[in-house]
Amino acid sequence: MLDAALSSYDAQVVLATSSDENYPAENIIDGKTETFWISTGLFPQEFIIRFPDNMKIVTISIHSHNIKRLRIEMSTSEDADKFETIAETEFEHTESSLQTNDISVNLPNATHLRFIILSGYDHFVSVHKVSVQS
């Protein structure tokens, strides 16, 4: 299956609510769990991934640390002006390892995915990798 959320397939992080030059949002889609984007503390936090074309999406995988509640929304418009909730989930807390969560969505098409981190187990959360299986 194709990982449509990789920057090597022209996916882009077009918005992130936190910015740290040492941990940029682009790390989310570089395909590595060793690099990451980190939040700056307050909730909610969000980021949006844009695909180069409409994508059929079967599963979304997220590798993270300290995320408690997450909502995922999708858009089918080029401008990403209308989003629809496709999943909301609570992650299990892990002390010394990454949280790994697979979310089945079976979407016929999407141009953008918005990830809204509603709460965390700590003041800071990190997102190491997002994979989108299409």
Side-chain angles (χ1 to χ4, degrees), residues 9 12-13 16 18 24 32 38 45 59-60 78 84 89 94-95 97 104-105 109 114 117 120 129-130 132-133:
Y9 287 112
Q12 297 178 321
V13 177
S18 293
K32 305 172 193 169
I38 194 165
Q45 293 284 329
T59 305
I60 300 168
E78 283 294 316
E84 172 185 333
T89 187
T94 57
E95 287 293 328
S97 62
S104 294
V105 291
N109 63 57
R114 177 163 55 190
I117 302 164
K129 181 180 174 184
V130 170
V132 173
Q133 304 306 316

Side-chain angles (χ1 to χ4, degrees), residues 35-83:
T35 59
F36 56 91
W37 168 75
I38 194 165
S39 70
T40 54
L42 299 173
F43 295 102
Q45 293 284 329
E46 71 179 67
F47 59 92
I48 298 174
I49 296 175
R50 180 178 65 201
F51 304 108
D53 296 305
N54 261 327
M55 301 298 299
K56 176 182 178 185
I57 299 173
V58 178
T59 305
I60 300 168
S61 300
I62 303 164
H63 301 265
S64 59
H65 191 66
N66 280 335
I67 292 177
K68 186 172 185 180
R69 285 187 44 235
L70 175 76
R71 179 185 308 138
I72 303 173
E73 300 175 344
M74 59 149 279
S75 176
T76 57
S77 71
E78 283 294 316
D79 300 331
D81 55 353
K82 296 177 185 168
F83 282 89

